[in-house]
Amino acid sequence: MSAVIDHPGLGHDHAHDDHGAPHGWRRWLYATNHKDIGTMYLLFAFTMFIVGGILALIIRAELFEPGLQFVNPQMFNQLTTMHGLIMVFGAIMPAFVGFANWMIPMQIGAPDMAFARLNNLSFWMLIPAALMIVSTFFMPGGAPAAGWTLYAPLTLQMGPSMDVAIFALHILGASSIMGSINIIVTVLNMRAPGMTLMKMPLFCWTWLITAYLLIAVMPVLAGAITMTLTDRHFGTSFFNPAGGGDPVMYQHIFWFFGHPEVYIMILPAFGIISAIIPAFARKKLFGYTSMVYATASIAILSFIVWAHHMFTQGMPVTGQLFFMYATMLIAVPTGVKIFNWIATMWRGSMTFETPMLFAVGFIFVFTMGGFTGLILAMAPVDIQLHDTYYVVAHFHYVLVAGSLYAMFGGFYYWGPKWTGVMYNETRGKIHFWGSLIFFNVTFFPMHFLGLAGMPRRYADYPMQFTDFNMIASIGAFGFGLMQVYFFFAVVLPMMRGKGAPAPQQPWDGAEGLEWEVPSPAPFHTFETPPRLNAAATKVIG
């Protein structure tokens, strides 16, 4: 990047001796290096992604045809509940924290994260929490079967596994809060001289805003599940109508956490896409400032739309109108982002390597998911479609195609910098096209199932829903196989160093401090902070 004028001690590569890096198991157990911790987060998240995916495939195998084939309805609801909890708290969120650990210090010219030992603790807390969540399947009565939202009064009737799941969620929440504090302090206090906030890469901005969201809402979830715990064991009646409690109050508290949580899982994806598109369009990101303000607007608006999940709960018309209009309003800053990405691509010198394919695929499928969300924002329509497969299709278009595609794009984009090895382009494209096609084969038919009235979380269904369910199940198995292919054909060879050596700057159009260090990135980067000159233009998204 031409803006960097002073890089003492950066040009030499310590990667071969790892410059004092510990070796063996101690390197990972006691890790305080942001790159090592980022790697562990990503591997943990992928492991949980596979576990959650296996649960999803059992669900789709059961729904392949009418009747009960593999699991009973109680077990089916355990699978849907645990699939949701594992994917949200075990896969998507830790994966984005992994990207943050790897990239934020490199993008802002910091030597490491602000609190290195806190960083280590926030990762290692995930392991016992994940083991506890998975172990609930082997407890008396089986895993929680109340849906990932853990609605009362179902949660008050569950067996001992519910308490274990609540404890695990507390640990995961504490880990998220500690990671968020680390990210905020790092971004605000450790930027290289000359890098003002409005010169930061957009990925750092999206994570800064996401970190504030996490600190604001994780304690709300903690409160809701703690009230559930006291209702179960300590004689309170927060959500138990028999004692004067109100189960709908749980929904209000949960969704006050749950809706910002949706944006916690997509804002970092926006940051990754905003890095990839300018690089492969070979242009500056269009409307950088508006992107920052749009991200902040989305975060603020996410706090006032929670009850659009509750249109069927007996809400006054005034309340329905407020939450309907507030939800539609979120489409404005989200639309700003979509148009800015398209404007960045407009008349750019575009090439379509795998990261760019995933970025364009992201825009396509995320926009579809956004439109179905806009449809569900309409209270009269939502009352018809509530708790049907239309909703399942909507949030998978936003979450799987949104968060996951962005992470895949980010891996292909930054992976050569992490590993020092270029991925195989043909295999990357097979992964992209396979994932895109099978994803749509899986979830697009669910829109029709929902419109026809098929409710979610049912293990059986009448004959008229058979064809679309069969198509969806075939697509799901194809999508799952593509992710296994991704791991064995792309990730493992890169981790083992098999492939063409990656140059320091593998992409012509990429800008940013992370491309100023050798590939693979040395164990310690920016021991002396780089200086950006006063005339430096904004670092690209």
Side-chain angles (χ1 to χ4, degrees):
M1 192 179 70
S2 58
V4 178
I5 57 170
D6 183 17
H7 254 180
L10 178 62
H12 55 287
D13 184 359
H14 313 301
H16 301 297
D17 61 0
D18 273 342
H19 199 57
H23 290 281
W25 58 270
R26 284 183 181 82
R27 171 174 179 175
W28 303 102
L29 184 62
Y30 302 135
T32 51
N33 183 284
H34 71 98
K35 301 180 185 76
D36 285 354
I37 293 173
T39 301
M40 291 196 296
Y41 264 110
L42 289 167
L43 289 171
F44 169 83
F46 192 80
T47 304
M48 296 307 285
F49 173 61
I50 295 298
V51 172
I54 289 167
L55 302 183
L57 292 183
I58 301 171
I59 292 167
R60 285 314 323 169
E62 177 56 57
L63 292 174
F64 184 75
E65 59 185 5
L68 297 178
Q69 280 77 238
F70 301 105
V71 294
N72 60 36
Q74 175 71 9
M75 182 63 185
F76 185 86
N77 279 334
Q78 293 175 33
L79 292 169
T80 55
T81 302
M82 300 310 289
H83 166 71
L85 288 174
I86 287 169
M87 287 303 202
V88 169
F89 296 104
I92 300 284
M93 290 170 68
F96 277 135
V97 179
F99 275 97
N101 264 290
W102 250 106
M103 297 317 303
I104 287 176
M106 287 169 67
Q107 290 193 328
I108 63 174
D112 209 307
M113 297 294 279
F115 305 119
R117 285 185 176 81
L118 185 74
N119 207 10
N120 176 288
L121 178 63
S122 61
F123 170 74
W124 284 109
M125 286 172 76
L126 297 177
I127 305 296
L131 293 172
M132 286 163 66
I133 277 216
V134 174
S135 73
T136 57
F137 277 110
F138 308 102
M139 293 179 181
W148 84 275
T149 51
L150 304 177
Y151 275 4
L154 288 171
T155 44
L156 309 182
Q157 301 158 7
M158 294 285 138
S161 64
M162 190 70 231
D163 305 316
V164 177
I166 287 172
F167 189 32
L169 287 175
H170 273 301
I171 297 172
L172 292 165
S175 167
S176 292
I177 290 170
M178 292 192 302
S180 300
I181 292 169
N182 215 343
I183 287 165
I184 290 170
V185 176
T186 304
V187 169
L188 294 184
N189 291 343
M190 298 181 68
R191 299 190 307 282
M195 181 175 282
T196 61
L197 282 173
M198 294 308 281
K199 285 181 183 170
M200 281 198 313
L202 210 65
F203 179 68
C204 301
W205 258 116
T206 54
W207 242 117
L208 178 66
I209 291 166
T210 300
Y212 278 114
L213 276 179
L214 274 163
I215 289 173
V217 302
M218 290 312 288
V220 178
L221 174 67
I225 58 179
T226 303
M227 291 155 84
T228 302
L229 197 68
T230 60
D231 272 13
R232 285 169 57 83
H233 297 294
F234 300 109
T236 58
S237 292
F238 291 113
F239 310 129
N240 185 355
D246 183 4
V248 177
M249 181 172 75
Y250 176 87
Q251 296 188 30
H252 279 290
I253 301 169
F254 178 86
W255 285 116
F256 190 79
F257 147 80
H259 202 79
E261 168 67 18
V262 172
Y263 293 100
I264 285 163
M265 291 188 284
I266 199 67
L267 290 182
F270 291 164
I272 294 173
I273 298 303
S274 300
I276 294 171
I277 284 177
F280 293 93
R282 291 159 182 82
K283 283 172 64 184
K284 294 284 186 197
L285 181 70
F286 180 89
Y288 172 94
T289 309
S290 66
M291 291 287 260
V292 172
Y293 286 123
T295 307
S297 305
I298 289 169
I300 293 161
L301 289 171
S302 72
F303 284 102
I304 61 164
V305 298
W306 75 90
H308 67 210
H309 298 268
M310 300 168 55
F311 282 143
T312 58
Q313 302 305 321
M315 192 185 301
V317 173
T318 317
Q320 288 185 342
L321 284 171
F322 170 80
F323 287 107
M324 184 167 89
Y325 292 143
T327 306
M328 290 161 68
L329 196 59
I330 281 198
V332 177
T334 312
V336 166
K337 289 181 169 299
I338 303 283
F339 287 124
N340 281 10
W341 290 325
I342 293 169
T344 306
M345 292 189 282
W346 178 251
R347 303 188 75 174
S349 303
M350 285 201 291
T351 52
F352 292 95
E353 288 89 344
T354 310
M356 186 61 162
L357 287 175
F358 271 106
V360 175
F362 167 92
I363 294 174
F364 169 62
V365 282
F366 178 77
T367 304
M368 286 177 67
F371 276 127
T372 55
L374 210 51
I375 290 165
L376 290 168
M378 313 289 171
V381 179
D382 182 80
I383 288 166
Q384 290 296 311
L385 297 176
H386 186 79
D387 258 349
T388 68
Y389 268 78
Y390 192 92
V391 178
V392 177
H394 155 68
F395 70 71
H396 281 91
Y397 263 81
V398 176
L399 265 184
V400 180
S403 302
L404 198 63
Y405 279 22
M407 287 191 275
F408 286 145
F411 177 82
Y412 285 107
Y413 181 61
W414 285 311
K417 178 61 63 186
W418 300 346
T419 61
V421 174
M422 290 303 291
Y423 63 89
N424 182 300
E425 191 66 56
T426 306
R427 292 175 182 178
K429 286 180 173 166
I430 290 169
H431 176 225
F432 167 73
W433 286 111
S435 294
L436 185 74
I437 291 164
F438 283 124
F439 169 81
N440 283 287
V441 170
T442 305
F443 293 104
F444 199 75
M446 292 186 191
H447 292 104
F448 302 118
L449 289 169
L451 288 166
M454 180 173 168
R456 63 201 271 207
R457 297 182 186 151
Y458 275 48
D460 194 6
Y461 54 85
M463 192 66 83
Q464 65 261 35
F465 298 135
T466 307
D467 292 350
F468 281 138
N469 269 301
M470 281 186 167
I471 293 167
S473 291
I474 292 165
F477 277 89
F479 186 78
L481 285 172
M482 289 316 301
Q483 309 328 312
V484 175
Y485 173 83
F486 165 66
F487 185 73
F488 286 104
V490 179
V491 178
L492 269 188
M494 289 179 78
M495 289 174 69
R496 288 175 175 166
K498 291 179 179 174
Q504 178 171 314
Q505 170 55 293
W507 317 116
D508 319 346
E511 292 186 21
L513 289 178
E514 69 263 40
W515 307 111
E516 296 292 322
V517 302
S519 298
F523 190 70
H524 295 292
T525 40
F526 302 121
E527 290 163 356
T528 307
R531 290 183 172 277
L532 278 68
N533 63 31
T537 51
K538 292 180 180 69
V539 177
I540 209 156

